[in-house]
Amino acid sequence: MFKLIGVGGQVRGKRFSLSEGSNVFGSDMDASFQLELKGISKKHFDVVVNDEFLTVLDLNSSNGTFVNKKMIEEKSVREGDVIAIPNAIFQVVKVKKEKIKKQVNSIQLEEEIPRNVSGKIGYHFKKNIFPMFFSLNKSWEWKPLVSGLFFLSILVTVFFSVDSVMSKAKKLIKGEVVSRAKQYLEEANRRNAAYMFREEFDQLNVSFLAQEKTITGYSLFDKKGIILNSDSKKNIYISAPFDVKAKEQISRKNNSSFHFVEFLGDGQIGVARGLFAKNLKNSREQLVGYVSIVFNPDGLVELENLDSIAYFESLIKSLIFAILIFYLIYLITINHFEVLYKESKEMMEGNKQQIEKEILFAELNPVQKTLNNMILRIKELSSGESNEFEELESDGLYVESLIEILKSYSGAGLVLNSDKYIKSLNSEAEDVLGIRENLSLDQDLSDVIRNQSTAAKIIQLCEETSSTNGLYSEDLGEINGVEYNISANCLMGKDGYPKAFIVSLRRE
């Protein structure tokens, strides 16, 4: 987060917190910050914030915008740079957020798991599954990796969709076969139950079952399991597994409405029921025998033959469609990067002022903004306008030297580092400024001192002494109704930058 602090003119002591994106300064009511100053335009200048990058744009103002005493049209700035317009001088300040580590019994707190189902799924996917795919991308190029995952999803989709349709079709055909089989069994029971009860076995008649083409086998047997009539054998005990199971289940149920059904494979379905005759002595139905039928319906056989063909045809069609869709997605995706590369190159060659991506891809907006700022900085460095990338000397030794000098001060004084953060202040300065050293160390001067005009005065004097290579700078200022002589000196580093400031406060 950045802010501009007024260090001169009619904005001295005022603070302007900058938000992400555009921050327009001017006299117009629609400006982000309205300034009622003589000589400024309705929309004078704009400070564009993009994460850690700041760019100042002059909005065709009448009297111009200056950065570090140079008139600009567009220039990237950093902490400590000075922006000037008629009757106002601002300094760029970066607000540092305090980092807090939450620990319980020395155990680092982890991200809280969401309570709702969708949140839990997303959390566990992000924590447990996504790292696996991310590690794959370290070994596989993006294109073959995404294409493999895409085609795998197509295979899974084809399998489940076709399998669902074929299963429903089989279920319908099997249901119709079972329903028809029950009708045959009912007819067999009607014709033969009474003969079975009277043991008139020579009268048994199930020949009508042989006339049905889809019936491949049938058996009529008594309670002992002896076959009395069938399509092949008679007067022997049942041995077919289906007949044995049917006899056991029907005997256990002992219910005339119960039918035993089993899918035998190879498109065959077995259906059986008991033969029940009415006992005239007690008027109850009595189990007297069993009848079983094995169906081999043409529709089910054809459906099973078509099953593998349907899978193969669906797979081929889906893969052709998947290839077209994948390459469409691939081309759309890489097109964004090609546009960024092309416009970045044009911007470096001076043919464009900035990258203006017309295609909608919100995830690339931060990349676009960062490229704009980076290329702008590179162009400034190439033209000799900045030496930001030169190796900077640490201010640690300079700060320590001024802290030693402060210890011998007889009046109020404080030491600041190159970023205007408090590094030390004596007890007299604590009383004058109303702050305590243990609570203000390594804090921004403008955030600690309640009187913003005093903070602005100190920052202005620091800027003046740094601009004169460390020459003494002083001015009068009022602190809590009392007038003080405020002075500042700085130590300049070997790289030409100010490294530390010592400020004294003497009561007049």
Side-chain angles (χ1 to χ4, degrees), residues 352-368:
K352 294 181 70 73
Q353 292 296 321
Q354 61 179 354
I355 299 173
E356 297 175 350
K357 181 171 60 67
E358 298 179 356
I359 305 172
L360 300 179
F361 198 150
E363 288 74 11
L364 282 180
N365 288 341
V367 178
Q368 176 186 342

Side-chain angles (χ1 to χ4, degrees), residues 231-247:
D231 62 316
S232 57
K233 301 177 181 179
K234 294 181 181 180
N235 300 320
I236 61 172
Y237 284 97
I238 56 175
S239 59
F242 172 70
D243 290 339
V244 174
K245 289 182 183 179
K247 179 178 179 299

